[in-house]
Amino acid sequence: MASYIVRRVLMMIPLLVLVSGVIFIVIQLPPGDYVSRHVARLEMEGVVTHEAEIEALKRRYGLDRPVHEQYLLWVRAMLRGDFGYSFAVRRPVLSVVAERLPYSIIISVATLLFSWVVAFLVGTYTATRQYSPGDYIASFLGFLGLATPNFMLALILMWIMYSVFGFTVGGLFSPEYQDAPWTMGRVLDLLKHLIIPVIVVGTAGTAGSIRILRANLLDELNKPYVITAEAKGVPPFRRLCKYPLRVALIPFTSTVGWELPNIVSGETITAVVLSLPTVGPMLLRALVDQDMFLAGSLILFLSLLTLVGTLVSDLLLAWLDPRIRYDR
Amino acid sequence: MSFLRSADVGYRRFLMTDRILDIQNLKTYFHTQEGVIRAVDGVYLSVRRRKALGIVGESGCGKSITSLSVLQVIPSPGRIVDGRVLFYPEAESDRPVDLAQLKRHGRELRRIRGKDISLVFQEPMVALSPVYTVGNQIIEALRLHEPHSKRRARELAVEMLDKVGIPNPDVMVDRYTFELSGGMRQRALIAMALVCGPKLLIADEPTTAIDVTIQAQILDLIRSLQTDMDMSVMLITHDLGVIAEMVDDIVVMYLGKVVESGSLHDIFDRASHPYTVALQRSIPRFQRRGQPLEVIRGNVPDPYTRPQGCEFAERCPKAMNRCFQDKPAMAEVGDRHSAKCFLFTDEVESAPGREANVR
């Protein structure tokens, strides 16, 4: 098991190198760079720019060098902990990201947990009570959730929260807690504001996971090894948990790997609608502005998050299924 | 002298023999959207104490469902709709437990499952969970019924693995099923079934999924454990060859009903029911080398509709007119030997509740 974990963690390094290369190429794909865009905008506004000044700016950020050198410079700086400078915000990338990434992680992790717990409970219920009214209701709601676009759901929930509960949704904090220091009240306020984003971002994934777990569990419930367990006298609830459920969780767990990037990218639109201070909207703006260091770093962080998510799901899988552990 | 003695012993054993399981008019139906499947439709049979009963029949004759009905571990939506499954744990003079009356998920039935009556399934590949070690599953079976410490339970599990002929049992106990061969898995499954020392072992085609060379070993194992552990055995198979070496009594099933029952010799040497006769003819035999193998013509009828008359009439070479109208009653054709055919009786099958079967 230990060697499996080590191998799996080491495999992340080449993957990360590959991802950083791809990110850099993609960011470089549109013609021009931030400095030339900036200069063009200044000229449109009638500001006189000096050739020497522009060159100096380009040299300072290494923009005059060939692409592969730029990439190496970028990577080398990152290894030293320097993620570059955001042209648009005029601050080091790290400080900009540090402000927003934690909220993104909080929302992603909370969404994942919400999605898992709900999918686990509902999936197990609908499989063990197949074709019962409860199964039909849960399946209906699940399909509804799968089919409703996130931003739509966000708008509907905002309206319901406002008109029914008189609770203004938007942002992650109420105005009085916006700049307050971390207290119990602020944490509770954050949790209150998390409910809607988590539901909105998580609904589609949850609905999908319910279907997956339900189908897997239905496949397992009548397997001979379950009947064997019944025949040797294992009580019903323990039998369900120990035998079919554990096996049904295997494919369910492997979905986490692709569920996490879904959550991260699905969050962007929701974050715009709900005006959440997460990285989603910021990444969108950085890409539009060709703010390369900011965009590159953000995408790299999100990729890292995805890799970690996949790692977690792989480790869970290895723990759940000895066939994976003993393979390779 | 020696003849006298063995006859004497035989007679005494006959007197001592009593029944451990007595199934009366058992009906297990599957209610589906397409209709009702009468998988087991009024079965009478009994297992004698310390003896082996073989149930034979084609696929779909209800032999497996009969065996699963004993412990009510029937796949959904199947359930017992009628009949009695009388279990005499100690002696037939005791009050029996009617297993069919116990709640499927209840504590009483759970106490009997795996403790007094154990099941061995036909496919060792899938009858053990792939995500737990062999030892884990055997120890679970043991500790459910007997209050052993984990360490003691493990020792007993290793002992049991040794007893069923698994090499290096102290290593194998920590192996997963996918690390074992088919024959080893079936041995492990048998070890799990026997770990609590059951009084009755039900083996549902224990050798079907196994390599032919291993089949004989597994059967020998069951046979020798039966004597060692003083068990009764109910062996389900479609293979008459398997049964010949294993059992004392035989029940032949067709379409959810018992059509003939008797001792091993009755069935093999004095087969009465045309179905039993046809079944025997379809065994490949060395003496008939070069000739085409005899088969039973026709197919098992559609499971949703049952013929009005005798279930076998359509395929029977000796069918008479009345066979298509009435169902024959079970008729005695010898001592403890009966067949359900108009060749031997004029009586028509009466309404359920009648008890006339192997004794």
Side-chain angles (χ1 to χ4, degrees):
Chain A
M1 187 69 182
S3 79
Y4 175 80
I5 298 177
V6 171
R7 219 166 32 222
R8 195 57 196 68
V9 171
L10 286 180
M11 255 169 60
M12 284 174 66
I13 295 171
L15 218 53
L16 213 53
V17 171
L18 207 70
V19 167
S20 71
V22 171
I23 291 172
F24 199 77
I25 292 167
V26 170
I27 289 174
Q28 290 288 337
L29 276 181
D33 50 44
Y34 185 78
V35 173
S36 48
R37 264 185 71 99
H38 188 60
V39 169
R41 202 186 301 148
L42 287 180
E43 278 172 352
M44 255 167 54
E45 286 165 11
V47 180
V48 184
T49 50
H50 298 287
E51 199 63 27
E53 210 176 291
I54 299 167
E55 285 309 313
L57 213 61
K58 283 197 172 183
R59 205 169 318 119
R60 194 171 144 204
Y61 297 113
L63 295 180
D64 54 340
R65 308 210 191 181
V67 175
H68 64 274
E69 276 183 41
Q70 288 190 37
Y71 170 70
L72 288 177
L73 279 175
W74 181 55
V75 171
R76 202 193 302 157
M78 274 196 301
L79 288 179
R80 274 187 273 116
D82 173 12
F83 288 83
Y85 187 81
S86 164
F87 302 118
V89 193
R90 292 179 191 284
R91 274 164 57 199
V93 165
L94 203 58
S95 80
V96 182
V97 172
E99 213 169 71
R100 292 191 162 221
L101 198 63
Y103 294 122
S104 275
I105 293 176
I106 287 175
I107 290 183
S108 300
V109 171
T111 306
L112 204 61
L113 289 180
F114 161 81
S115 172
W116 265 7
V117 170
V118 172
F120 177 77
L121 294 177
V122 178
T124 308
Y125 175 82
T126 53
T128 49
R129 301 267 185 282
Q130 195 190 7
Y131 303 138
S132 67
D135 177 26
Y136 283 121
I137 292 169
S139 298
F140 173 74
L141 291 178
F143 281 124
L144 207 64
L146 208 54
T148 315
N150 280 356
F151 68 91
M152 179 89 157
L153 195 61
L155 289 173
I156 294 171
L157 282 179
M158 275 169 88
W159 175 72
I160 291 176
M161 285 303 258
Y162 182 71
S163 58
V164 179
F165 300 105
F167 178 68
T168 322
V169 199
L172 282 177
F173 297 102
S174 307
E176 65 267 31
Y177 283 114
Q178 193 64 56
D179 296 309
W182 283 104
T183 57
M184 210 49 213
R186 193 168 189 237
V187 172
L188 287 177
D189 188 56
L190 174 66
L191 288 179
K192 215 158 67 184
H193 280 81
L194 268 181
I195 296 171
I196 296 236
V198 162
I199 292 177
V200 171
V201 180
T203 305
T206 309
S209 299
I210 290 174
R211 303 307 300 171
I212 291 172
L213 183 65
R214 180 176 181 273
N216 288 330
L217 195 52
L218 281 176
D219 275 350
E220 295 299 323
L221 278 176
N222 268 331
K223 282 272 175 77
Y225 68 86
V226 185
I227 301 177
T228 307
E230 187 176 12
K232 70 182 182 188
V234 186
F237 185 70
R238 171 161 161 205
R239 187 173 71 235
L240 173 71
C241 296
K242 181 169 175 181
Y243 291 97
L245 201 53
R246 170 141 174 193
V247 177
L249 276 181
I250 292 169
F252 180 67
T253 311
S254 57
T255 59
V256 189
W258 45 264
E259 207 52 67
L260 205 60
N262 266 353
I263 288 173
V264 169
S265 61
E267 176 238 41
T268 304
I269 298 172
T270 314
V272 173
V273 174
L274 293 174
S275 59
L276 304 175
T278 58
V279 295
M282 173 175 266
L283 174 61
L284 193 65
R285 213 174 51 232
L287 286 172
V288 171
D289 288 348
Q290 289 194 319
D291 193 351
M292 56 176 274
F293 291 124
L294 182 58
S297 306
L298 282 176
I299 296 178
L300 201 64
F301 279 130
L302 295 182
S303 308
L304 187 66
L305 199 62
T306 308
L307 285 180
V308 170
T310 319
L311 176 73
V312 170
S313 91
D314 279 4
L315 292 182
L316 278 176
L317 271 183
W319 174 67
L320 275 173
D321 190 350
R323 286 168 293 187
I324 294 174
R325 229 179 301 156
Y326 282 73
D327 210 30
R328 281 172 278 180
Chain B
M1 181 66 188
S2 77
F3 165 74
L4 271 177
R5 242 187 94 193
S6 72
D8 184 35
V9 169
Y11 180 66
R12 270 177 41 212
R13 278 175 75 176
F14 179 70
L15 282 185
M16 280 165 62
T17 300
D18 61 345
R19 290 176 299 180
I20 187 166
L21 189 76
D22 187 23
I23 297 180
Q24 297 174 1
N25 193 34
L26 178 69
K27 293 184 177 176
T28 303
Y29 290 178
F30 289 72
H31 295 268
T32 68
Q33 290 192 328
E34 288 81 26
V36 179
I37 298 178
R38 298 175 154 90
V40 177
D41 201 12
V43 159
Y44 290 86
L45 62 83
S46 29
V47 184
R48 292 187 288 157
R49 200 172 297 277
R50 292 184 197 90
K51 298 282 179 184
L53 169 79
I55 305 184
V56 268
E58 285 168 287
S59 331
C61 72
K63 55 191 192 300
S64 280
I65 300 298
T66 303
S67 69
L68 296 179
S69 298
V70 173
L71 287 179
Q72 289 195 43
V73 288
I74 315 151
S76 102
R79 60 191 183 85
I80 297 177
V81 294
D82 195 11
R84 297 201 282 179
V85 179
L86 301 178
F87 175 55
Y88 302 88
E90 300 305 332
E92 206 183 324
S93 46
D94 292 351
R95 250 174 69 95
V97 187
D98 186 354
L99 300 178
Q101 290 301 314
L102 299 180
K103 278 202 208 76
R104 179 173 180 164
H105 296 295
R107 192 183 295 266
E108 276 174 281
L109 193 53
R110 228 160 45 221
R111 262 209 285 269
I112 292 170
R113 287 174 180 163
K115 170 75 178 145
D116 292 327
I117 304 179
S118 276
L119 265 164
V120 171
F121 290 94
Q122 45 183 309
E123 287 180 30
M125 307 299 156
V126 287
L128 283 165
S129 168
V131 297
Y132 297 99
T133 59
V134 171
N136 177 309
Q137 297 179 63
I138 297 179
I139 292 167
E140 179 185 34
L142 187 60
R143 280 169 46 100
L144 276 168
H145 301 290
E146 291 169 22
H148 294 297
S149 69
K150 278 189 181 158
R151 173 192 278 234
R152 179 76 190 124
R154 191 187 151 88
E155 282 168 15
L156 290 171
V158 171
E159 242 170 65
M160 201 62 229
L161 286 176
D162 190 37
K163 209 166 178 175
V164 297
I166 288 184
N168 303 323
D170 45 343
V171 179
M172 298 306 260
V173 74
D174 292 320
R175 290 285 162 84
Y176 289 92
T177 51
F178 56 88
E179 299 176 284
L180 269 56
S181 68
M184 284 300 142
R185 283 185 219 191
Q186 190 57 286
R187 283 172 194 269
L189 204 56
I190 292 172
M192 190 169 85
L194 297 186
V195 74
C196 291
K199 299 185 175 79
L200 172 63
L201 177 73
I202 301 176
D204 183 5
E205 308 218 17
T207 57
T208 319
I210 294 177
D211 200 299
V212 193
T213 51
I214 310 296
Q215 286 187 4
Q217 292 178 16
I218 297 288
L219 292 173
D220 284 348
L221 175 70
I222 295 181
R223 193 62 167 157
S224 71
L225 288 171
Q226 186 198 351
T227 13
D228 277 8
M229 302 181 69
D230 253 4
M231 285 187 300
S232 311
V233 169
M234 186 163 142
L235 180 76
I236 288 89
T237 182
H238 62 265
D239 187 344
L240 279 174
V242 163
I243 269 217
E245 295 165 29
M246 282 291 297
V247 303
D248 306 289
D249 303 317
I250 295 182
V251 152
V252 181
M253 280 186 71
Y254 186 76
L255 277 192
K257 287 192 165 133
V258 172
V259 294
E260 180 163 1
S261 65
S263 71
L264 176 70
H265 296 293
D266 290 335
I267 302 294
F268 269 79
D269 304 333
R270 292 181 289 277
S272 305
H273 197 282
Y275 177 65
T276 315
V277 174
L279 210 56
Q280 285 202 13
R281 288 232 176 104
S282 58
I283 305 174
R285 271 177 219 277
F286 192 66
Q287 293 91 325
R288 288 211 302 260
R289 206 158 36 138
Q291 299 170 24
L293 183 67
E294 278 192 51
V295 293
I296 304 175
R297 66 193 166 99
N299 278 313
V300 177
D302 162 42
Y304 298 106
T305 47
R306 284 288 139 98
Q308 189 200 344
C310 170
E311 280 82 4
F312 190 57
E314 290 281 332
R315 305 171 70 188
C316 183
K318 295 186 178 167
M320 304 169 282
N321 279 339
R322 72 173 303 194
C323 294
F324 295 92
Q325 269 112 49
D326 300 322
K327 291 185 196 296
M330 201 71 172
E332 300 247 332
V333 290
D335 183 29
R336 298 203 316 116
H337 180 194
S338 35
K340 194 179 171 64
C341 181
F342 282 128
L343 290 173
F344 313 104
T345 182
D346 284 331
E347 269 183 68
V348 174
E349 187 184 49
S350 60
R354 213 170 67 99
E355 186 185 350
N357 206 258
V358 208
R359 267 228 71 155

